[in-house]
Amino acid sequence: MTIMSVTTAAFTDQRPGTSGLRKKVTVFQQAHYLENFVQSTFNALGNIEGITLVIGGDGRFYNEQAIQTILKMAAANGVAKAIVGQNGLLSTPAASCVIRKYNAFGGIILSASHNPAGPDGDFGIKYNIGNGGPAPENITEAIFQQSQVISEYLTIDNDDISLSTVGSQTLAGMAVEIIDPVSDYAELMAGLFNFTAIKALLAEADFGICFDAMHAITGPYAKQILENQLGAAAGSVINGIPLTDFGQGHPDPNLTYAKELVEVMFSTDAPTLGAASDGDGDRNMIIGANFFVTPSDSLAIMAANAHLIPAYKNGLSGIARSMPTSQAADRVAEHLGIESHETPTGWKFFGNLLDADRATLCGEESFGTGSNHIREKDGLWAVLFWLNILAERKQSVAEIVQQHWQKFGRNYYTRHDYEAIDSQIAKDLMSELENKLPTLTGQTLAGQTISYADNFSYTDPVDNSVSSNQGIRIGFGNGDRIIFRLSGTGTQGATLRVYIESYQDDSDKQQQDTQQTLAELIQVADDLADITKRTGRTTPTVIT
Ligand code: G1P
Ligand code: ZN
């Protein structure tokens, strides 16, 4: 084997965001671009000789080519073994599962999650550590620092290897194990949930499920687990064949993008449960027949019903939610007498809490839920969780949610996204808003008094690390909240996210329209940040 050292020049834009490095495919196709980032990652990790790495991605355009590049660089850098999903495929949760199961040193996941794919779409790469979770900030920062000073990378001049057959091979002395991407994950799921009860439920004549894989990675997982193992009717999984361009779609499971599923679930003969997952399989949307479940409610309801699930029957150690996620889960934690945590946006902030057993369930408003079974959010896991609840409670999704509101109150909740706005306008909007914060506390708006207005800063209770500047929170005395933050995952201009929440414990007022109920607060948000005036936008790009 000949190890080659290739001279390269640093790119200035390789700072990993909340979910790794995400750029247009065309950016990744620049000479040395991917190589620089991979070598920077290896350099940041220090001595990687002899380690095992898991490698896989969501199957989008450039996935396999990137994996071939990474494998050669791994071999040249002394990695002892690479565990690779067949055809380069591994959903993000499956990658996390595999890293943990085989005690790998870490993993490289190729994905840009729900962002559109194809030659003109996006690509992404992220490093996960040995606990199976996204690298914490000290590592992503070290990668970025390395990327700023890199001057050479190592590779070998071997041919590409075949990723299509399960089994062992070697590449220039490095063992390469091609694994079935589904089986380890399926085995983990079978150990968490009551498959017998779910099977019986799915066999009931009047029970139907529709799972929309949105032409992305979860197709093979959902087909194997839901249809083959649990006996859901053939065809329950729709758009189940992963395509490199995700069928030209936008595989983000929400009411806007999961159109086909929404049509099925809001029709007269809708099945009992509808669900969708995103490009890399870590997000989920849950819908009952003619009934949408907000992700924030989903987390709270899962927590309140966790005792019905074999893996969680002995109770939860705590519940963690990202700051903009509604406070519904906090009420469940309080009721259960367990810890609740409010973390910055991004799954990586849950890692320490899960490792230290300070939280068992975690969730984000952005259609992400997960638990201590892995260190990523997990789309199909959430669907199985709901199926297991339905199997035990024998009620409809709507009944379960409404009973939850009656018991805990309802947190009306919406998120308004303003996508692709000018970056400078977005920055100015946020900084002007921040300047206003000191004057806001005590003011009365929309009939409610502001009790705090701050820029969220989080101190990790496990390692005491501080993450500041995580979004502007405006809290009212009655628990209502308005939150503003800029997306860390967009690839075009800036995306402003405005999150609005209002609590209602009067069960007579829990059946109202969300946007109408929140209209006054939505107007307050616009006034506070001058959104319309600054951006020229009169309506958000996406409302969830
Ligand atoms: C978005 C979501 C966030 C999630 C992240 C990765 O990040 O809001 O909850 O963790 O994608 O899936 P954002 O674009 O808001 O920074
Ligand atoms: Zn995702």
Side-chain angles (χ1 to χ4, degrees):
M1 150 177 89
T2 326
I3 296 179
M4 304 186 297
S5 165
V6 181
T7 304
T8 187
F11 293 90
T12 53
D13 64 342
Q14 297 197 327
R15 185 188 284 281
T18 16
S19 320
L21 184 70
R22 270 188 209 170
K23 301 279 176 195
K24 292 263 164 234
V25 167
T26 47
V27 172
F28 272 101
Q29 283 169 330
Q30 296 171 84
H32 307 324
Y33 193 87
L34 174 68
E35 290 86 344
N36 271 23
F37 189 77
V38 172
Q39 188 67 52
S40 299
T41 302
F42 290 157
N43 293 349
L45 297 177
N47 183 6
I48 57 164
E49 258 175 64
I51 68 165
T52 296
L53 273 185
V54 172
I55 304 170
D58 63 16
R60 65 177 62 226
F61 182 81
Y62 206 55
N63 186 60
E64 189 152 348
Q65 209 170 326
I67 290 177
Q68 295 289 356
T69 300
I70 295 166
L71 286 172
K72 288 173 197 168
M73 291 184 64
N77 278 275
V79 169
K81 183 176 180 182
I83 302 177
V84 186
Q86 189 179 17
N87 296 318
L89 298 180
L90 276 177
S91 75
T92 294
S96 185
C97 156
V98 170
I99 292 170
R100 292 168 69 79
K101 180 168 176 178
Y102 297 104
N103 289 316
F105 183 82
I108 294 178
I109 301 176
L110 293 319
S111 168
S113 190
H114 51 281
N115 293 13
D120 303 319
D122 289 346
F123 192 74
I125 174 168
K126 73 169 180 173
Y127 179 71
N128 278 27
I129 58 175
N131 74 354
E137 243 159 11
N138 62 334
I139 296 182
T140 54
E141 186 55 29
I143 295 171
F144 177 65
Q145 294 307 333
Q146 290 291 334
S147 79
Q148 299 306 288
V149 297
I150 190 168
S151 59
E152 59 161 10
Y153 64 82
L154 301 182
T155 188
I156 51 174
D157 62 358
N158 289 47
D159 290 338
D160 286 355
I161 61 163
S162 164
L163 305 180
S164 59
T165 314
V166 169
S168 311
Q169 318 173 38
T170 53
L171 174 66
M174 178 177 76
V176 179
E177 183 80 27
I178 307 287
I179 59 163
D180 171 54
V182 178
S183 59
D184 293 304
Y185 178 81
E187 189 185 301
L188 177 62
M189 293 302 116
L192 299 175
F193 299 106
N194 186 342
F195 270 30
T196 310
I198 298 174
K199 236 181 168 162
L201 177 74
L202 288 167
E204 285 176 16
D206 58 350
F207 190 94
I209 179 170
C210 180
F211 180 94
D212 189 350
M214 303 186 81
H215 304 290
I217 188 78
T218 44
Y221 292 85
K223 273 197 186 148
Q224 172 60 23
I225 297 173
L226 298 176
E227 293 187 9
N228 300 347
Q229 284 178 239
L230 292 168
S236 297
V237 176
I238 60 171
N239 301 317
I241 296 172
L243 302 173
T244 54
D245 66 350
F246 298 153
Q248 302 268 313
H250 190 145
D252 201 0
N254 59 41
L255 294 175
T256 307
Y257 293 123
K259 252 205 183 122
E260 201 174 329
L261 175 73
V262 170
E263 267 164 33
V264 172
M265 295 310 296
F266 287 88
S267 66
T268 42
D269 50 358
T272 323
L273 181 67
S277 194
D278 72 330
D280 63 329
D282 57 358
R283 294 187 175 193
N284 74 90
M285 172 166 68
I286 299 293
I287 315 186
N290 297 289
F291 194 93
F292 168 64
V293 186
T294 72
S296 297
D297 277 348
S298 181
L299 172 66
I301 292 163
M302 287 163 78
N305 290 279
H307 59 280
L308 301 173
I309 313 282
Y312 312 100
K313 68 174 192 300
N314 295 330
L316 308 174
S317 62
I319 309 171
R321 62 163 175 86
S322 69
M323 182 272 280
T325 303
S326 98
Q327 300 162 102
D330 302 9
R331 295 181 184 275
V332 178
E334 202 186 334
H335 171 79
L336 295 173
I338 57 176
E339 288 187 14
S340 64
H341 301 273
E342 181 175 50
T343 61
T345 295
W347 205 260
K348 64 185 174 193
F349 292 101
F350 295 134
N352 278 348
L353 296 171
L354 293 167
D355 284 349
D357 201 24
R358 301 275 301 264
T360 308
L361 293 190
C362 308
E364 294 193 279
E365 48 65 40
S366 52
F367 297 84
T369 9
S371 89
N372 60 358
H373 69 291
I374 53 170
R375 293 296 180 272
E376 290 278 3
K377 56 190 176 243
D378 192 344
L380 200 48
W381 166 89
V383 179
L384 292 166
F385 202 119
W386 268 92
L387 273 172
N388 205 151
I389 294 174
L390 292 171
E392 295 295 337
R393 290 192 46 173
K394 309 213 176 301
Q395 290 171 295
S396 70
V397 171
E399 282 163 352
I400 289 170
V401 176
Q402 278 156 356
Q403 283 183 8
H404 184 89
W405 292 341
Q406 278 162 22
K407 182 166 177 186
F408 294 97
R410 174 174 183 185
N411 290 70
Y412 281 99
Y413 185 85
T414 191
R415 182 176 106 181
H416 287 195
D417 293 336
Y418 298 84
E419 292 176 353
I421 56 181
D422 179 82
S423 301
Q424 193 55 46
I425 290 178
K427 264 189 209 148
D428 291 347
L429 181 150
M430 290 299 282
S431 63
E432 291 287 314
L433 184 59
E434 183 151 14
N435 291 341
K436 274 191 201 167
L437 294 181
T439 65
L440 290 180
T441 310
Q443 274 194 39
T444 301
L445 295 172
Q448 297 295 335
T449 307
I450 297 177
S451 52
Y452 63 89
D454 64 8
N455 191 334
F456 180 56
S457 173
Y458 174 69
T459 305
D460 185 305
V462 180
D463 66 13
N464 293 315
S465 60
V466 177
S467 305
S468 47
N469 211 12
Q470 297 296 323
I472 289 176
R473 303 189 297 182
I474 303 195
F476 294 84
N478 62 348
D480 291 2
R481 296 193 309 169
I482 302 174
I483 287 144
F484 301 87
R485 57 178 286 280
L486 295 183
S487 157
T489 61
T491 50
Q492 229 191 336
T495 295
L496 170 68
R497 303 201 197 284
V498 185
Y499 312 78
I500 293 151
E501 164 179 14
S502 182
Y503 180 68
Q504 180 55 263
D505 60 0
D506 180 346
S507 56
D508 291 338
K509 294 184 184 153
Q510 289 175 348
Q511 306 296 333
Q512 292 157 194
D513 176 76
T514 298
Q515 298 303 318
Q516 274 167 20
T517 306
L518 298 174
E520 232 181 328
L521 283 173
I522 292 169
Q523 187 56 47
V524 168
D526 192 14
D527 293 346
L528 282 173
D530 284 335
I531 300 170
T532 307
K533 216 187 293 167
R534 287 174 182 277
T535 66
R537 305 282 177 89
T538 47
T539 47
T541 325
V542 180
I543 295 182
T544 39

